[in-house]
């Protein structure tokens, strides 16, 4: 699509006219609400899904994710793939002719930023008559565009799905980009970026750049598994320049292939756009202040072995979203492939995105999540009746953080019956997926790492049900709970319940309904009694608001230390003004 | 020193004559036994310590470690630094004249390997009249040379001290080297390696190569802490080629500096020597078979954030040494600096090397380790009398593995009084250092990761004293103990000791001498009774050989489950032929 209104760029320059190449998949619905924009990363294009007729290698770059019946289902959604400005795949870029000079732009193509791309994409949507997107989806640099959409056009998207991305590049990321660019610009065939006129291509530089990139896309382990130290020949040739190892051959092949189809100036532009992306820069680096503008819902995904955009970087974004009380779910997929994982099939990853887009589709159809169809098994030690008892302690309309939320049953219950909002924290992949399917906000974090992600007094109630005893850092978790929430509620197995006492008197560790594990393989790393907790609460300056036991689903208020298998405490920080039920 | 006898190289070529440049520090003693050879890494030289007179920047590259009173004390040792063949710092290399042609070697300098370097170093020692080295010390590529010494000339060194090294390069390591070399050889000023004659230098390629190297020497975190996203100017220039970020400026500076003093052909040779190093190649990749030749003692050190030569790679070497029953200690230093850490000051790192070289100096003087001067505090829950009781269970002359060995007191006791040999495993840095000071072999490993480092039935006795209860993987640790040792001996606090029973009957978790921690901050993650263990042993098919309690340092054989605060069991695999005391 051709645009003749000039596009003002962040650099202060104007792009007087330009073309955006795009593809669409599926059908735009009547109220134009089911459009999903897919943003591409470094070397991809508008061709995100499907296969061009008659062309062998024309499969869309995200075809495993996007299509009829796939996680982003084009039977449900109208998917738009757009090629970014500065690219070499159709949209206006350095290889194309600058109308004002009649020559190829080359190195004179203006530097474009992630924000410029998003502006240009917004204009395309204007033309397509799409006011609000159901979602923007992107991975890596595409994820940066998705994030930027939520900041530049907050009300024009309902969901932001950002995979394997970061709020900005780290020093190491910039360093790799720098080296790649140096390799290109010092190639004598680069001619200061005006090589088209010379009839040459700076292939050597592009090859080196691509080789560096490829190393950073793969995890160390994945590269080792694929290539190891395999050699081309049985014996080394003892040469400094021959290709001796398979990994050398692979990199060389990747470099050669890339230098055949990619443009050097585009490579410089795109890596620079990556370098410059830093929406928090104008907020003194404060990412939470940056996201104050955002209103959409977020789904973030990272991969454990991605050392280019590590999970830590996604967690920074999660924290900023939480600080702004935005809806967010976050999955940290334990995949071996490194950064490349975002393009690969992984059942857990695709499962989370499928659940996410299913929810968006239902939201569009104004139907609620499939709660009824979900399994409702609960964690060992707590029953549905226990959950109902504890739910009654949570004031209507509370903002709740459920630490160790399991399959999200309690959060869903609180949302439905007590109009609560909030988040669960869960480590287990299957539980996480169930939460996403329920439409419950869930953050995949290890509670042993603490609650630094959550701001002071940012919740009315923080729940730690059947969770505390699984964690080593008991004291820290309790003080953190009281820091993050106005009220904390914990439940845990009471070791002083009389059958347990009896077992110990007989010289054996107990195995009961509330303590169903053998001493040597229990997830319970902390074993305490109702009475022990009272003393710990005093030590930690926690003011106990209520305390009782639960036995067979019934509250026990007389002699709970003896008579109840489960202990329940609600508490707040001593000197705190908040009270349960008063806000 | 000039050599006229030709040196046969691994490539099959001969180096007809050559010069090795070297420096020495300290004084060779009368029996020529105190020499330590220091091997250099990629861009260093023979100038390892001291400062040349009148030159500003002539400090030796390892001057913080080597000198009078330093960890490698030149008042005690005669230290030799030698420049490797192929280098550009004095020894024969590509920049020097090939006598047979009268021109500079350039790209015709033969490919040299780590093994070739070690051969040449051995010839230097012949000339210096040194038959056996007290130690070979090296870091990174220097560590590879130290390892290779132990394989090529097993009896010519007493100790191998290898820091931040690997048994070979990983695919990722080779990949980075490949890219660096591509950058050099595709620089038009390289002229196929014969650039000297052209009066030019392939500076652009060398710069890119050095920039890539520098990224891999630093940890991501260290680079972030040092540079982050700091920019040269307040506002971006929006340019693809300007230096905008501090990290770009730093890398460019490093690249420029390097290209001023380093030779491109040397860079190719040295990275190729790294690629080729793989002593296990001729043993089908079996590193344990490879080290069957070695006889010296080993001290290995790695750094937690080193992603170039990660701790995992050092652990591979440790395993191979253990499989050959060689003396080895291994320290895994939790340092933030990445691979560069091996050149930096870190108190724990230098402490371990100081203790190591102190022991070597004492060994030369035929004096024993300073056991008397060391603190003899033991882990909570066990007393010296407990240790003596348990020591009596270990047959004289046993090969012992002590899991969670603390400060090594028991191992030292067993060595001194019962002529035992073996290793301790310990995670704590201070305990590790005390073990090294005692001259006890100690391996820094996390027992939660299992015992894969240790071969089947490789020890007579495996001890797990006051350790089992701190680990989550109780069952795995017990079966692994019985796999690795003919006999296992465990001790742990007995929860059924009567004061504990009394406390629970009163509704509180016990705090006693044997269980001195509060339930919420105890390192004891597993709480069991004497009677519980009997049942677990049955479940795991462990045959209990002996079982008793300990109370106040005395053995309790009647009613131990009630009367003893500590439980002790020795066991073996059911069906195993070994018996305690019979071999």
């Amino acid at each position: 699509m051709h645009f003749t209104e000039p596009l003002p760029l962040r650099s202060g320059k104007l792009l007087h006219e330009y073309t955006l190449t795009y593809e669409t998949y599926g059908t735009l619905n009547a109220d134009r609400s089911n459009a999903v924009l897919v943003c591409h990363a470094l070397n991809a294009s508008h061709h995100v899904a499907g296969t061009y007729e008659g062309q062998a290698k024309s499969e869309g770059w995200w075809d495993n994710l996007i299509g009829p019946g796939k996680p982003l289902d084009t039977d449900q959604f109208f998917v738009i793939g757009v090629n970014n400005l500065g690219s070499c795949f159709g949209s206006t870029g350095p290889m194309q002719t600058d109308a004002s000079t009649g020559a190829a732009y080359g190195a004179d193509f203006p530097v474009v930023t992630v924000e410029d791309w998003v502006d240009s994409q917004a204009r395309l949507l204007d033309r397509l008559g799409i006011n609000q997107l159901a979602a923007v989806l992107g991975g890596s640099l595409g994820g940066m565009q998705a994030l930027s959409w939520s900041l530049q056009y907050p009300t024009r998207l309902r969901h932001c799905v950002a995979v394997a991305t970061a709020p900005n590049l780290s020093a190491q990321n910039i360093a790799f980009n720098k080296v790649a660019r140096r390799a290109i610009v010092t190639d004598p065939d680069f001619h200061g970026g005006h090589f088209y006129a010379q009839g040459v291509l700076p292939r050597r530089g592009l090859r080196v750049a691509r080789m560096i990139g490829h190393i950073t896309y793969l995890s160390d382990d994945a590269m080792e598994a694929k290539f190891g130290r395999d050699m081309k020949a049985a014996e080394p040739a003892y040469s400094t320049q021959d290709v001796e190892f398979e990994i050398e051959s692979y990199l060389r092949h990747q470099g050669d292939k890339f230098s055949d189809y990619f443009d050097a100036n585009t490579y410089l532009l795109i890596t620079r756009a990556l370098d410059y992306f830093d929406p928090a820069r104008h907020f003194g680096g404060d990412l939470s202040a940056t996201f104050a503008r955002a209103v959409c819902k977020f789904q973030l995904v990272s991969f454990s072995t991605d050392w280019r955009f590590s999970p830590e970087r996604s967690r920074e974004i999660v924290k900023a979203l939480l600080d702004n009380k935005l809806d967010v779910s976050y999955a940290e997929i334990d995949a071996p492939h490194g950064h490349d994982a975002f393009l690969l099939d992984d059942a857990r990853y695709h499962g989370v995105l499928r659940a996410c887009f299913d929810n968006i589709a239902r939201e569009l159809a104004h139907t609620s999540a499939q709660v009824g169809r979900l399994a409702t098994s609960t964690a060992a030690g707590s029953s549905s009746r226990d959950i109902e008892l504890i739910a009654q302690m949570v004031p209507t309309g509370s903002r709740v953080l459920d630490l160790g939320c399991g399959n999200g049953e309690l959060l869903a219950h609180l949302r439905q019956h007590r109009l609560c909002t909030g988040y669960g924290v869960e480590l287990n992949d299957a539980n996480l997926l169930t939460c996403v399917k329920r439409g419950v906000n869930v953050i995949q974090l290890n509670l042993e790492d603490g609650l630094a992600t959550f701001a002071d007094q940012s919740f009315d109630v923080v729940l730690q049900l059947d969770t505390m005893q699984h964690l080593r850092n008991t004291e820290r978790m309790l003080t953190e709970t009281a820091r993050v929430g106005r009220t904390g509620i914990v439940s845990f197995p009471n070791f002083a319940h009389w059958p347990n006492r009896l077992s110990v008197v007989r010289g054996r560790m107990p195995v009961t309904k509330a303590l169903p594990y053998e001493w040597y393989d229990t997830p319970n790393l902390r074993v305490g009694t109702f009475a022990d907790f009272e003393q710990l609460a005093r030590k930690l300056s926690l003011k106990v608001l209520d305390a009782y036991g639960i036995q067979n689903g019934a509250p026990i208020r007389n002699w709970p230390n003896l008579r109840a298998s489960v202990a329940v405490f609600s508490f707040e920080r001593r000197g705190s003004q908040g009270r349960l039920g008063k806000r």
Side-chain angles (χ1 to χ4, degrees), chain A residues 156-336:
Chain A
R156 291 196 73 173
L157 72 168
R158 294 167 65 94
H159 293 266
C160 169
V161 185
V163 181
T165 193
N168 58 37
L169 291 199
S170 69
Q172 192 190 66
N173 294 147
I174 297 172
F176 278 120
N177 280 350
K178 172 69 178 179
V179 181
R181 281 194 302 269
R182 282 302 289 176
I184 292 171
V185 303
T186 60
D187 184 328
D189 288 335
F190 182 65
H191 294 287
H194 294 287
F195 49 88
Y196 312 117
Q198 312 283 328
V200 292
L201 294 172
R203 283 181 190 276
R204 287 168 293 194
L206 256 182
R207 279 192 201 107
V208 167
R210 181 58 166 178
M211 286 159 81
I212 294 170
H214 245 283
I215 298 175
T216 69
Y217 303 148
L218 298 180
S219 72
D220 189 11
D221 285 349
M223 205 179 251
E224 197 62 24
K226 201 166 171 184
F227 304 102
R229 298 182 51 82
D230 293 349
M231 299 187 81
K232 303 288 286 181
E235 285 298 315
Y238 293 106
S239 149
T240 57
Q241 295 187 43
D242 289 2
V243 167
E244 294 262 58
F245 295 91
E246 292 290 350
I247 178 67
E248 294 184 284
S249 169
Y250 169 78
L251 283 180
R252 199 148 169 175
H253 172 71
Q254 292 293 338
D256 288 351
K257 206 172 65 174
F258 190 69
S259 72
D260 282 345
Y261 76 80
F262 211 80
D263 175 61
N265 283 309
T266 294
Y267 202 89
L268 300 184
L269 286 170
I270 293 189
T271 55
R272 223 20 166 175
L274 275 160
D275 288 355
Y276 285 135
F277 181 68
D278 187 13
R281 195 170 71 86
H282 293 293
F283 295 86
D286 183 342
L287 201 63
S288 297
T290 308
F291 274 95
R293 281 173 288 173
V295 295
C296 70
K297 296 181 178 184
F298 290 82
Q299 174 70 56
L300 300 181
V301 179
S302 74
F303 301 94
S304 55
T305 56
D306 183 352
W307 59 281
R308 192 179 169 91
F309 291 155
S310 72
E312 205 179 345
R313 306 308 317 273
S314 283
R315 279 184 233 127
E316 291 175 35
I317 305 166
V318 170
K319 176 166 173 38
L321 300 175
L322 288 169
D323 284 344
N324 287 291
K325 304 190 190 326
L326 291 161
D327 279 300
V328 53
S329 281
Y330 168 57
E332 203 168 294
I333 308 289
D334 189 16

Side-chain angles (χ1 to χ4, degrees), chain A residues 400-568:
Chain A
V400 177
L401 178 64
D402 187 357
L403 303 173
C405 68
N407 60 25
E409 186 185 10
L410 176 60
L411 275 174
H413 178 100
L414 290 172
R415 185 176 59 184
Q416 198 176 346
H417 300 289
R418 303 185 81 85
L419 308 172
C420 294
T421 57
Y423 310 83
V425 173
E426 180 59 39
L427 193 56
N428 177 277
D429 288 332
N431 281 338
L432 182 100
L433 181 59
T434 309
C435 289
V436 175
K437 283 182 180 171
R438 282 187 203 274
V440 162
N441 288 323
V442 62
I443 315 291
Q444 195 162 27
L445 286 183
N446 188 342
L447 290 172
E448 292 287 12
D449 299 334
L451 298 181
T453 307
F454 304 97
D456 290 3
Q457 302 290 293
S458 52
F459 291 90
D460 298 312
V461 179
V462 178
L463 301 167
Q464 237 188 105
L465 308 179
D466 256 326
T467 297
M468 183 186 74
Q469 72 269 23
H470 302 162
L471 303 171
R472 292 187 67 142
N473 54 357
T474 317
E475 287 176 276
R476 185 166 154 222
M477 276 301 290
L478 288 173
T479 50
E480 282 286 274
T481 292
R483 173 185 68 77
V484 169
R486 293 190 179 77
T487 305
I489 301 177
V490 302
S491 75
F492 60 93
N494 171 32
F495 195 75
H497 188 214
W498 67 265
N500 302 335
R501 300 194 201 195
L502 199 61
S503 177
V504 171
V505 165
R506 289 173 172 162
R508 299 292 304 272
M509 295 305 286
V511 178
T512 63
K513 201 176 136 197
L515 287 169
Y517 306 99
E518 289 286 354
W519 65 280
Y520 49 80
D521 72 347
T522 173
N524 300 331
L525 305 180
R526 296 287 174 237
V527 179
T529 72
F530 190 100
D532 287 331
F533 191 90
E534 288 178 322
Q535 198 194 43
L536 178 58
R538 274 195 297 278
K539 186 194 164 202
L540 299 178
S541 293
L542 301 177
K543 181 172 176 183
V544 173
L545 304 174
D546 193 11
Y548 62 95
I550 300 181
Q551 182 57 27
N552 297 326
I556 305 282
R557 292 193 171 270
N558 295 322
W559 301 90
N561 198 37
L562 183 70
R563 295 175 55 221
S565 59
V566 175
V568 181

